[in-house]
Amino acid sequence: MRIFSGIQPTGAKHLGNYSGGFRQYAATQAEGDAFFCIVDLHSITVDYDPEALRSSTYDLFALLLAAGIDPERSTVFAQSHVTAHSEAAWLLSAVTSYGQLGRMTQFKDKSEQREFVSAGLFTYPILMAGDILLYQTDLVPIGDDQRQHLELARDVAERFNQRFGETFRVPEGRFPEIGARIMDLQEPERKMSTTGGTPQGTVLIADPPQTVRKKIKSAVTDSGRDVRHDRQEKPGVSNLIEIMSVATGESFADIEARYDGAGYGPFKSDVADAVVALLDPIRERYRELRADEQALRRLLASGAEKAREAAAPTLETVYERMGFTRP
Ligand code: AQP
């Protein structure tokens, strides 16, 4: 089975990225032939700093390895190292609906937040479709926020197959049962996010333990009620239970039963401990791996080589089916 997922290198990675992304990647790599792509080309669709992009590409690579991705077993690479991705994006734009792109909620949300809206922000989902389809992917482990983009990738594959002949496998998404949408701790009606969240409500993987504790202890909940009673109507409380479940592997029911009748103070304190225990070893491994940039560079280069080989036959078929002469 082919597995593919992409992760943006810009912005500090947060607990939501771990929960909906990294955690799943590490788990799915045992199920097949996995490709994890650092999607640096996606990062230029909003304002960014070129120097920061360069170093954050290595930051993310080290973080993925620290979170349990094994570069011997899986192919981990940077999108810009495999030119097939940019080519696929242009070719697939011929079978992508302009109207459907305009309905992408991420485009609507992100374009509202800024004065300059790049064309790349609008066409980004075509590049993402190319990323996935080039590898004849069966399974895409992602968080809930990427559901609509994956649906578009599936539509692109089907439209291409109908118009030019069976070429792409139509991929399925895999969303974690728990933790597919971690919410902002301060504004629990919004997802925890790199660009759209509150700094105090976003737990970063890089946050030192005292910062993690502070953020979780100041999470928004209602006052004067107990944990179990509030779960149904209080997204802030459900979110904390979900975070605890991600960190410890316990079920919602077990967590609720344990804190039945208890106030928020001890509950939040235990959630904070669980998250610190989860993130501490990842941060430690990250520090060690990030210190050796030469080694990261070498591993990325070998990942790119494997990815180029895997993507080339599909890209060639696309050119041929679309009627291009080949050199
Ligand atoms: N809040 C979240 N809960 C669960 N999963 C999440 N993901 C993102 N936010 C949450 C998942 O993380 C994976 C890697 O995502 P990415 O780094 O490529 O960035 P993104 O999807 O664009 O999400 P960000 O980091 O929150 O950035 P913004 O909000 O600025 O777009 C993906 O599988 C994603 O689903």
Side-chain angles (χ1 to χ4, degrees):
M1 181 167 70
R2 268 287 163 84
I3 298 150
F4 180 97
S5 200
I7 320 95
Q8 291 209 52
T10 37
K13 296 290 128 181
H14 51 74
L15 187 60
N17 297 133
Y18 173 81
S19 171
F22 303 175
R23 186 170 62 115
Q24 285 211 90
Y25 310 153
T28 49
Q29 63 183 343
E31 292 177 41
D33 188 17
F35 288 75
F36 299 111
C37 180
I38 298 172
V39 290
D40 48 3
L41 295 170
H42 285 285
S43 294
I44 65 169
T45 57
V46 292
D47 194 28
Y48 77 102
D49 169 14
E51 266 321 305
L53 175 61
R54 232 182 304 276
S55 68
S56 61
T57 300
Y58 293 113
D59 293 347
L60 177 61
F61 185 40
L63 192 56
L64 289 171
L65 303 187
I69 293 176
D70 175 0
E72 300 291 325
R73 172 175 223 158
S74 303
T75 304
V76 194
F77 67 103
Q79 187 183 32
S80 63
H81 296 181
V82 183
T83 53
H85 290 252
S86 313
E87 293 175 67
W90 177 251
L91 297 167
L92 294 177
S93 69
V95 287
T96 306
S97 147
Y98 175 85
Q100 190 175 9
L101 282 177
R103 288 192 293 277
M104 295 294 114
T105 54
Q106 195 180 80
F107 172 72
K108 288 194 219 166
D109 291 347
K110 287 192 175 176
S111 57
E112 268 169 20
Q113 291 164 21
R114 41 186 54 86
E115 222 165 84
F116 175 76
V117 178
S118 72
L121 190 63
F122 185 70
T123 55
Y124 163 121
I126 316 177
L127 179 58
M128 176 166 160
D131 297 340
I132 298 167
L133 301 178
L134 273 175
Y135 296 90
Q136 300 294 351
T137 300
D138 299 288
L139 189 72
V140 187
I142 36 174
D144 204 46
D145 60 323
Q146 292 299 329
R147 230 173 244 279
Q148 203 185 15
H149 288 163
L150 180 70
E151 209 40 57
L152 183 136
R154 289 167 52 87
D155 291 346
V156 165
E158 279 166 0
R159 200 170 297 116
F160 190 99
N161 288 348
Q162 271 166 16
R163 170 78 179 83
F164 299 107
E166 204 61 26
T167 305
F168 294 118
R169 218 169 279 174
V170 181
E172 299 287 337
R174 180 177 297 168
F175 308 90
E177 270 174 41
I178 292 171
R181 180 174 284 265
I182 297 293
M183 310 309 275
D184 187 286
L185 299 177
Q186 291 298 315
E187 295 180 4
E189 60 291 343
R190 287 174 12 166
K191 77 160 190 131
M192 194 176 280
S193 150
T194 315
T195 52
T198 65
Q200 194 59 22
T202 308
V203 175
L204 303 180
I205 300 176
D207 276 342
Q210 63 272 27
T211 309
V212 173
R213 288 207 165 86
K214 218 165 139 193
K215 286 179 177 175
I216 291 178
K217 285 185 181 166
S218 59
V220 169
T221 48
D222 197 27
S223 59
R225 310 278 287 278
D226 68 73
V227 171
R228 187 185 194 128
H229 185 226
D230 275 0
R231 184 168 118 62
Q232 301 309 324
E233 67 265 37
K234 291 286 170 287
V237 178
S238 310
N239 194 37
L240 286 175
I241 294 176
E242 189 149 358
I243 288 172
M244 186 141 192
S245 173
V246 166
T248 63
E250 291 170 291
S251 70
F252 275 35
D254 285 352
I255 296 169
E256 278 178 358
R258 186 141 39 89
Y259 293 97
D260 195 10
Y264 293 138
F267 170 60
K268 283 182 177 178
S269 173
D270 289 355
V271 175
D273 286 345
V275 173
V276 167
L278 169 76
L279 298 183
D280 250 4
I282 298 176
R283 223 182 30 250
E284 218 28 67
R285 278 199 299 278
Y286 166 77
R287 244 199 303 268
E288 285 164 26
L289 291 159
R290 185 63 182 91
D292 190 352
E293 197 166 299
Q294 284 308 321
L296 296 175
R297 220 182 271 266
R298 273 196 303 276
L299 283 171
L300 261 190
S302 96
E305 211 168 298
K306 286 196 273 175
R308 269 185 227 114
E309 258 174 50
T314 301
L315 185 69
E316 198 49 41
T317 308
V318 169
Y319 275 120
E320 275 171 18
R321 299 251 159 96
M322 291 183 84
F324 290 94
T325 55
R326 302 304 290 143

